[in-house]
Amino acid sequence: MNDFQPLPHHKFTFGLWTVGNVGRDPFGHPTRPALSPVEIVHLLAEVGAYGVNLHDNDLVPIDATPAERDHIVANFKAALADTGMVVPMATTNLFSDPAFKDGAFTSNDARVRAYALQKTMRSIDLGVELGAKVYVFWGGREGTESDSTKNPLDAIKRMREAMNFLCAYVRDQGYDLKFALEPKPNEPRSHIYMPTVGHMLAFIYTLDHPEMVGLNPEVAHEHMAGLNFTHAVAQALDAGKLFHIDLNDQLFGRYDQDFRFGAEMIKQAFYLVKLLEDSGYDGNRHFDAHAYRTSTLEDVKAFARGCMRTYLILKDKVARFHADADIQALLAQIHADKGEFDYLKGGYSAEHAQQLSATAFDLSVLGARNLPYEQLDQLTIELLLGVR
Ligand code: GCO
Ligand code: MN
Ligand code: MN
């Protein structure tokens, strides 16, 4: 009997900012009290998470003295030791302070760009001290409202220079750390540079050390752009660049919702879990989501449990999909292949080209094939609805 209990090997993680979200939105004040980082570690341990991720300032206030920093970090490490929680990922807050109102690495102001680099170096040091192996970059302010204000070519160049500088810093320190870039199309800027997984993937190959840099795709961000998230993740996996993943849920065409994983688009969530599980992805499953603004503490815990439980239920559905005789029979029918074109798997050769040129294709036969996709999709829906 599968009880859908989260276990450490599932690698379920949450950010301090996720279950710590106080319910503030652009129209209203917080609806629940702030929890301290130590309280959040205990909450996450209680609900069965494996790890906790953080921005530098989720833990250490931006104006803390070095002594205050050391004291806070020591308390946090004690909470990790008490609970067995780990810190697999860390990141920098380059968006809250008004200094970053026109971006961090892409700001028009060289002083802001330099400060962003310095802040990130310190935050990388903190992340490594806490054990992080993945360092995320989400450039929420790296964009514009008006393109009169910034030349996009300058912005992309500045972003590249920043990544190259920080990769070199990590190498120079001898840190065992990879970077994961997180694209988002908009919010909080009207337009954010390199807005989707595809854009960011292309950017990575322009860096000095592309082998150190991969992606942190997020469900909500591709959905905000109206894109198929599973296809985006597949492209990252295919390139060997899925270094991390942010799971949540989000309807197309809405504000940045950050809902509980699987809360809205259950079919898309199923195909995503199927891809992650079938591909053997062994990184963290990080939930970058928060509870509804209407929730109080008990409901925040239910939110966190719900993210993990839905993932595990969908993982079970994936196993049922693979074991379902009717589904597998349809797939076998769809993929039936007499092997007459197996020679093309060997790629191009002059003989293959000649053989192919000499082949006659009967388009009426190809066009008349029965593709039982309605049947297959209905069986998938019935499986998800729990009647098979
Ligand atoms: C958002 C982003 C952030 C980042 C976080 C970690 O839409 O606000 O998803 O939550 O993931 O800053 O880099
Ligand atoms: Mn997001
Ligand atoms: Mn995110």
Side-chain angles (χ1 to χ4, degrees), residues 192-307:
I192 300 178
Y193 297 116
M194 293 165 281
T196 69
V197 165
H199 292 83
M200 203 59 104
L201 192 55
F203 171 71
I204 287 171
Y205 294 104
T206 71
L207 299 175
D208 287 348
H209 290 288
E211 73 285 354
M212 283 177 68
V213 186
L215 286 157
N216 179 35
E218 174 169 319
V219 179
H221 297 177
E222 301 297 300
H223 282 193
M224 287 170 76
L227 299 175
N228 182 315
F229 184 66
T230 302
H231 292 190
V233 172
Q235 197 161 359
L237 277 167
D238 177 69
K241 290 296 187 193
L242 190 68
F243 287 7
H244 200 263
I245 191 161
D246 277 6
L247 302 172
N248 54 13
D249 211 353
Q250 166 83 37
L251 290 174
F252 288 6
R254 295 291 166 104
Y255 66 96
D256 185 9
Q257 294 177 306
D258 284 339
F259 284 151
R260 190 179 75 256
F261 179 62
E264 287 289 355
M265 296 170 76
I266 196 77
K267 198 173 169 189
Q268 281 79 357
F270 168 71
Y271 292 126
L272 174 62
V273 172
K274 184 169 182 299
L275 178 71
L276 292 175
E277 296 301 321
D278 289 351
S279 70
Y281 169 72
D282 68 352
N284 301 303
R285 275 91 172 143
H286 175 237
F287 297 103
D288 188 8
H290 52 75
Y292 301 140
R293 189 164 179 267
T294 42
S295 298
T296 54
L297 186 60
E298 273 315 299
D299 210 37
V300 170
K301 291 181 194 172
F303 147 83
R305 289 193 175 102
C307 285

Side-chain angles (χ1 to χ4, degrees), residues 308-324:
M308 298 183 283
R309 187 171 164 82
T310 296
Y311 188 100
L312 292 174
I313 293 170
L314 290 173
K315 185 176 166 178
D316 180 64
K317 297 287 184 192
V318 172
R320 287 169 190 267
F321 183 95
H322 290 307
D324 188 300

Side-chain angles (χ1 to χ4, degrees), residues 35-358:
L35 301 171
S36 72
V38 166
E39 287 171 322
I40 294 173
V41 168
H42 284 277
L43 183 157
L44 288 175
E46 180 188 334
V47 299
Y50 156 75
V52 58
N53 302 320
L54 58 134
H55 302 86
D56 48 356
N57 304 136
D58 297 339
L59 181 61
V60 182
I62 196 164
D63 53 2
T65 63
E68 284 164 348
R69 176 223 187 256
D70 291 348
H71 179 69
I72 291 167
V73 172
N75 277 342
F76 189 68
K77 282 183 179 167
L80 295 172
D82 283 352
T83 55
M85 296 279 289
V86 295
V87 177
M89 178 274 259
T91 183
T92 331
N93 184 326
L94 295 172
F95 42 89
S96 292
D97 195 277
F100 299 125
K101 64 188 175 188
D102 189 32
F105 301 135
T106 65
S107 167
N108 276 331
D109 189 325
R111 294 168 303 175
V112 174
R113 298 200 298 274
Y115 171 62
L117 281 179
Q118 184 205 62
K119 189 174 193 293
T120 305
M121 289 192 298
R122 288 182 183 164
S123 178
I124 286 174
D125 296 342
L126 172 65
V128 170
E129 181 180 343
L130 293 171
K133 294 277 185 284
V134 178
Y135 200 84
V136 163
F137 290 83
W138 171 66
R141 299 276 177 204
E142 311 290 11
T144 60
E145 282 67 48
S146 163
D147 285 336
S148 311
T149 62
K150 237 183 256 178
N151 178 337
L153 284 174
D154 288 344
I156 293 164
K157 185 166 170 282
R158 289 171 187 162
M159 187 67 95
R160 178 181 307 113
E161 285 167 0
M163 288 302 136
N164 286 341
F165 189 97
L166 293 166
C167 281
Y169 176 72
V170 165
R171 289 164 61 89
D172 210 24
Q173 302 301 307
Y175 291 155
D176 174 19
L177 192 68
K178 285 180 163 184
F179 289 175
L181 312 186
E182 179 179 344
K184 186 177 184 183
N186 55 273
E187 275 196 69
R189 298 309 293 266
S190 182
H191 308 279
I192 300 178
Y193 297 116
M194 293 165 281
T196 69
V197 165
H199 292 83
M200 203 59 104
L201 192 55
F203 171 71
I204 287 171
Y205 294 104
T206 71
L207 299 175
D208 287 348
H209 290 288
E211 73 285 354
M212 283 177 68
V213 186
L215 286 157
N216 179 35
E218 174 169 319
V219 179
H221 297 177
E222 301 297 300
H223 282 193
M224 287 170 76
L227 299 175
N228 182 315
F229 184 66
T230 302
H231 292 190
V233 172
Q235 197 161 359
L237 277 167
D238 177 69
K241 290 296 187 193
L242 190 68
F243 287 7
H244 200 263
I245 191 161
D246 277 6
L247 302 172
N248 54 13
D249 211 353
Q250 166 83 37
L251 290 174
F252 288 6
R254 295 291 166 104
Y255 66 96
D256 185 9
Q257 294 177 306
D258 284 339
F259 284 151
R260 190 179 75 256
F261 179 62
E264 287 289 355
M265 296 170 76
I266 196 77
K267 198 173 169 189
Q268 281 79 357
F270 168 71
Y271 292 126
L272 174 62
V273 172
K274 184 169 182 299
L275 178 71
L276 292 175
E277 296 301 321
D278 289 351
S279 70
Y281 169 72
D282 68 352
N284 301 303
R285 275 91 172 143
H286 175 237
F287 297 103
D288 188 8
H290 52 75
Y292 301 140
R293 189 164 179 267
T294 42
S295 298
T296 54
L297 186 60
E298 273 315 299
D299 210 37
V300 170
K301 291 181 194 172
F303 147 83
R305 289 193 175 102
C307 285
M308 298 183 283
R309 187 171 164 82
T310 296
Y311 188 100
L312 292 174
I313 293 170
L314 290 173
K315 185 176 166 178
D316 180 64
K317 297 287 184 192
V318 172
R320 287 169 190 267
F321 183 95
H322 290 307
D324 188 300
D326 295 334
I327 289 176
Q328 292 310 313
L330 283 175
L331 285 170
Q333 184 185 335
I334 289 162
H335 295 293
D337 180 0
K338 297 202 184 88
E340 61 213 289
F341 293 103
D342 278 358
Y343 71 91
L344 288 176
K345 290 181 187 158
Y348 178 86
S349 71
E351 297 73 51
H352 290 169
Q354 206 173 26
Q355 194 177 343
L356 183 58
S357 295

